């Protein structure tokens, strides 16, 4: 089973359609799973570098700040005590790592769930090309034709340089490439607009096996060997 979404041009005319696989765009939306994955993503973004000094780390001597008796004040043993001015912090905050373990299958299931939710509510749109030449006004008009809702997520491929240069500074939308899609950014958006190149790249998935560089290098080696044999 496949879902069909229309491809429109900058003028709003239908120029084609794209089939979306049901296993990605018609999957079960597991809200507890999505909550866990988004919480882990936000936790991983925390620096965890906050730190305050305890009484062993602040400057100061070990002698008593004033004599034991005769002052009418409570006895004090050190000027570095937390109840002294300039003293250390009681229960000082220490650096920590906020990362949570999230298996890749959970991340993928959460992504498929939020994409399916957007598709069921007709919030996913496809544009044949954002803009042919760098133009913020033209690019905004093209992506905004689908919805006037506040939060818009635009997904373009890495090769669409004109689109990147046109929309990278736009304040009322979020710009991503297909391999950066995540459940949190999709949940924050009201609508999603894919360029045709971006949706094709997303459906094709990551390049598996040998990298392009390695394949090109091996082909060059084979060509050299063929030349040597023929010579």
């Amino acid at each position: 089973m496949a879902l069909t979404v229309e491809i429109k041009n900058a003028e709003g005319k239908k120029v084609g359609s794209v089939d979306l696989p049901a296993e990605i765009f018609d999957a079960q939306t597991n809200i507890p799973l999505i909550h866990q994955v988004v919480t882990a993503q936000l936790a991983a973004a925390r620096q965890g570098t906050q730190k305050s000094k305890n009484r062993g780390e602040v400057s100061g001597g070990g002698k008593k700040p004033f004599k034991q008796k005769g002052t009418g004040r409570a006895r004090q043993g050190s000027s570095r005590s937390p109840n002294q001015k300039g003293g250390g912090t009681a229960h000082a905050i220490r650096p920590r790592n906020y990362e949570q373990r999230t298996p890749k299958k959970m991340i993928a299931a959460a992504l498929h769930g939020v994409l399916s939710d957007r598709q069921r509510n007709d919030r996913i749109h496809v544009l044949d090309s954002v803009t042919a030449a760098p133009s913020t006004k033209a690019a905004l008009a093209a992506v905004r034709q689908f919805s006037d809702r506040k939060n818009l997520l635009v997904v373009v491929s890495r090769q669409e340089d004109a689109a990147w240069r046109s929309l990278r500074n736009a304040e009322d939308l979020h710009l991503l490439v297909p391999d950066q899609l995540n459940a949190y950014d999709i949940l924050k958006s009201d609508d999603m607009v894919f360029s045709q190149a971006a949706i094709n790249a997303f459906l094709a998935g990551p390049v598996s096996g040998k990298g392009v560089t390695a394949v090109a290098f091996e082909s060059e080696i084979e060509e050299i060997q063929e030349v040597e044999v023929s010579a």
Side-chain angles (χ1 to χ4, degrees):
M1 175 182 175
L3 309 172
T4 302
V5 177
E6 294 182 351
I7 302 175
K8 295 185 177 180
N9 59 16
E11 289 74 30
K13 297 180 180 179
K14 180 182 177 181
V15 294
S17 62
V18 59
D19 292 333
L20 305 178
E23 58 269 18
I24 297 178
F25 292 89
D26 195 21
Q28 178 183 3
T29 302
N30 188 333
I31 296 178
L33 171 66
I34 295 171
H35 178 271
Q36 183 177 349
V37 170
V38 170
T39 301
Q41 180 179 342
L42 295 178
R46 299 181 66 176
Q47 288 185 327
T49 56
Q50 70 276 35
K51 182 181 183 298
S52 57
K53 294 181 179 181
N54 57 28
R55 63 182 298 164
E57 296 172 320
V58 296
S59 61
K63 62 178 293 187
K64 292 170 67 66
F66 47 82
K67 64 181 182 178
Q68 179 87 346
K69 297 181 182 295
T71 64
R73 302 175 62 186
R75 57 191 177 186
Q76 296 293 328
S78 172
S79 60
R80 296 181 292 184
S81 176
N83 58 357
Q84 290 290 312
K85 181 180 179 180
T89 303
H91 310 292
I93 300 174
R94 318 307 291 177
R96 58 166 292 186
N97 184 9
Y98 290 95
E99 290 185 5
Q100 303 176 17
R101 180 181 176 273
T102 311
K104 292 181 179 179
K105 288 185 178 180
M106 289 178 58
I107 297 175
L111 178 60
H112 296 170
V114 294
L115 285 172
S116 300
D117 177 74
R118 291 294 181 265
Q119 172 58 25
R120 293 188 189 104
N121 292 279
D122 298 325
R123 299 292 182 90
I124 294 180
H125 316 280
V126 181
L127 190 64
D128 64 341
S129 178
V130 176
T131 180
S135 172
T136 300
K137 182 178 180 180
L140 284 175
V143 298
R144 277 294 179 186
Q145 65 173 299
F146 300 102
S147 173
D148 57 356
R149 299 182 183 95
K150 180 179 179 181
N151 299 314
L152 184 65
L153 176 63
V154 180
V155 186
V156 299
S157 69
R158 294 185 182 275
Q159 288 71 37
E160 293 179 283
D161 184 62
W164 270 104
R165 293 164 66 182
S166 300
L167 297 176
R168 61 187 175 184
N169 291 328
E171 297 180 355
D172 56 346
L173 58 82
H174 190 47
L175 193 61
L176 288 178
V177 294
D179 55 14
Q180 292 177 334
L181 273 177
N182 59 87
Y184 174 65
D185 285 325
I186 297 174
L187 284 176
K188 287 201 309 178
S189 64
D190 297 316
D191 287 85
M192 297 180 62
V193 177
F194 285 89
S195 68
Q196 187 172 359
I199 193 68
N200 291 336
F202 177 72
L203 296 179
V207 179
S208 59
K210 299 179 180 179
V212 177
T213 305
V215 173
F217 179 73
E218 289 186 358
S219 63
E220 291 179 2
I221 294 294
E222 292 176 357
E223 291 178 0
I224 294 174
Q225 290 177 346
E226 290 177 358
V227 171
E228 290 178 351
V229 171
S230 60

